[in-house]
């Protein structure tokens, strides 16, 4: 592991900065550094950006449960976030956020709509009453990232990969060798490339960062997210996260991807589920 | 099984009827028949009501993914639903809905906020690419409902129970006998009491209908839903549904409840996850 930067001072912090323009309205710039291939901006990064704006707008700091519907593909460049406070309670507050951009003709196009309830993770009692255990993971040294691809198989060159430090469990890497496992599973060690420790914003990136489980189910195409809901359950301890994604039901051209994120203290810090579409061949 | 009524003609249809009052605005009456104890109106019924209004407003009929944030407790009586169409696409459309009531002083209070994407279940291909199997269920004759409680342990008299035909797996009924299993599991056969066959609206009721998993984890209190997201994955076949709910993580006073709903054709027709609060003792 290389150098570390502080929370508040990393690439994710810089690229999710928002500027209050008027009541509930923020200016933002979608960074090309978080785009996938040459196409859209990464959904987890967008979720972190919207999550940050809502954290600024609402009286509570942390996204306890946040749902995003991805409407159209976001492009690097300027964007506006419009928030609405739905309700302010003692321990939870609820709000919405809409991310909009302008198309080539200058028309406003909505990219993402979010609905979320926020609280204060530090105000929660520390008890854990259930016995869920992290999934089995090989040590990070035995896991593989894009930079480990053999020279004759160049890794796909997404700018996103330079922002993340992600090492996949070889047991879920069959797809990269042309031998998908047939199981709807994907597992990886996850960190930010600049060494910044994880926080709730980083968890919002982590839940949507792994290759789609469809790769291990034998499909190679793009798998756009329709909707993603993440529950942030605890503030993560420093160090790399373990992310496990599973799919039980690929049917009718849609699938769910369930992610669990575990921290170095073996605590389940985030759970998410997304509904995605797959172009069946 | 008793008589059957047709879809469109049952208690759920009658009690989720909405009347268009103006552009995107509907009048509704929350039926006391779906209340829990003497307290709030049932969350799954509210979800079905809001889901029906959105199905009327949006160009697509079926809720593919619907998220509700429960803000304040709903009461039987008049309510207004305000919808907004966020985006209309070829295969999916997205909208929001807000359920509001008036308090004793005449002030408007928002009860539930919903964000959802709708499509057409009948337009999906019929393929199922994964091998998920329904959980093991005893035959319905070996499962138990409130009406099977011994005479000296009167069943809790929620009006809701007269709308549903629900039979719990005895393996998840330890709590009712003072011997909770300690496992975060709840399973039940589920139908509407008037014999109306299930449809997507009934699935929205089913995902929130079982006793909370916390009962089997040894907690007896009320478990209010903060947020619930349901994915409707297929139109259910006629006949009783099997609903299985699991909890992996009860921590810091919050828990998730994951529900799967299977139809008589052994198809996974709905998946849901809710974030709920528990009053820890």
């Amino acid at each position: 592991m290389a150098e570390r930067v502080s929370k508040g001072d990393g690439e994710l912090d810089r690229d999710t900065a928002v500027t209050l323009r008027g009541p509930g309205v923020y200016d933002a710039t979608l960074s090309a550094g978080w785009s996938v291939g040459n196409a859209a901006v990464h959904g987890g990064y967008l979720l972190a950006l919207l999550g940050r704006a809502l954290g600024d707008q609402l009286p509570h700091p942390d996204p306890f449960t946040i749902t995003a519907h991805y409407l159209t593909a976001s492009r690097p460049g300027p964007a506006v976030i419009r928030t609405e406070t739905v309700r302010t309670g003692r321990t939870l507050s609820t709000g919405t956020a809409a991310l909009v951009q302008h198309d080539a003709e200058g028309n406003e196009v909505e990219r993402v709509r979010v609905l979320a309830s926020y609280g204060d993770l530090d105000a929660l009692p520390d008890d854990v009453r259930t016995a869920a255990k992290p999934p089995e993971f090989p040590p990070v040294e035995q896991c593989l990232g894009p930079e480990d691809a053999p020279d004759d198989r160049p890794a796909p060159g997404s700018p996103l990969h330079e922002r993340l430090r992600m090492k996949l469990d070889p047991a879920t890497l069959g797809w990269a060798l042309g031998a998908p496992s047939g199981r709807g599973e994907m597992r990886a060690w996850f960190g930010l490339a600049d060494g910044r420790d994880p926080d709730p914003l980083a968890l919002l990136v982590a839940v949507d960062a792994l290759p789609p489980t469809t790769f291990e189910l034998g499909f190679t195409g793009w798998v756009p997210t329709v909707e993603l809901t993440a529950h942030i359950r605890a503030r993560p301890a420093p160090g790399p996260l373990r992310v496990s994604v599973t799919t039980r039901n690929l049917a009718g051209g849609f699938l769910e991807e369930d992610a669990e994120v575990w921290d170095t203290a073996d605590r389940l810090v985030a759970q998410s589920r997304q509904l995605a579409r797959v172009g069946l061949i």
Side-chain angles (χ1 to χ4, degrees), chain A residues 24-46:
Chain A
V25 182
Y26 296 84
D27 284 313
T29 303
L30 307 190
S31 162
W34 297 85
S35 51
V36 183
N38 291 317
V41 177
H42 178 246
Y45 160 68
L46 295 173

Side-chain angles (χ1 to χ4, degrees), chain A residues 107-268:
Chain A
N107 301 311
E108 190 173 287
V109 183
E110 185 165 344
R111 302 304 195 196
V112 188
R113 178 69 65 101
V114 159
L115 175 60
S117 288
Y118 276 58
D120 183 354
L121 290 171
D122 297 328
L124 298 183
D126 228 12
D127 59 282
V128 177
R129 303 293 184 118
T130 35
K133 290 273 173 287
E136 295 280 332
F137 262 77
V140 66
E141 303 77 34
Q142 294 172 22
C143 294
L144 300 166
E147 63 283 1
D148 301 312
D151 287 346
D152 62 333
R153 296 180 68 94
S158 280
L160 176 68
H161 292 138
E162 295 174 22
R163 290 284 187 277
L164 306 180
R165 189 183 285 158
M166 203 157 59
K167 295 282 192 180
L168 271 76
D169 182 343
T172 65
L173 253 176
W175 58 275
L177 306 168
S181 70
R183 293 184 303 272
E185 298 178 7
M186 199 63 67
R187 287 184 295 275
W189 290 89
F190 175 95
L192 297 169
D194 61 5
R196 173 190 179 279
D197 276 321
D199 67 349
L201 288 191
L203 294 176
L204 297 181
V205 178
V207 295
D208 196 31
L210 274 59
T213 54
T214 46
F215 285 7
E216 281 293 83
L217 290 168
F219 301 96
T220 52
W222 184 239
V223 185
T225 304
V226 174
E227 172 266 328
L228 185 152
T229 297
H231 298 174
I232 307 301
R233 302 295 300 274
R235 204 173 294 289
L241 302 165
R242 284 158 292 173
V243 184
S244 167
V245 185
T246 55
T247 294
R248 281 177 53 74
N249 191 31
L250 167 59
F254 287 83
L255 71 152
E256 93 287 1
E257 289 193 277
D258 284 0
E260 287 192 350
V261 186
W262 296 80
D263 71 4
T264 51
D266 274 359
R267 181 139 185 193
L268 182 50

Side-chain angles (χ1 to χ4, degrees), chain A residues 2-78:
Chain A
E3 86 286 8
R4 286 192 153 171
V5 303
S6 306
K7 270 178 282 190
D9 216 23
E11 292 172 329
L12 181 62
D13 304 290
R14 182 194 67 208
D15 294 340
T16 58
V18 293
T19 308
L20 190 67
R21 169 209 280 201
V25 182
Y26 296 84
D27 284 313
T29 303
L30 307 190
S31 162
W34 297 85
S35 51
V36 183
N38 291 317
V41 177
H42 178 246
Y45 160 68
L46 295 173
L47 191 62
L49 179 73
L50 285 156
R52 185 156 166 189
L54 272 176
D56 187 79
Q57 180 64 22
L58 297 172
H60 296 93
D62 301 311
F64 277 27
T65 167
I66 181 167
T67 291
H69 286 243
Y70 294 88
L71 310 170
T72 55
S74 300
R75 307 295 174 194

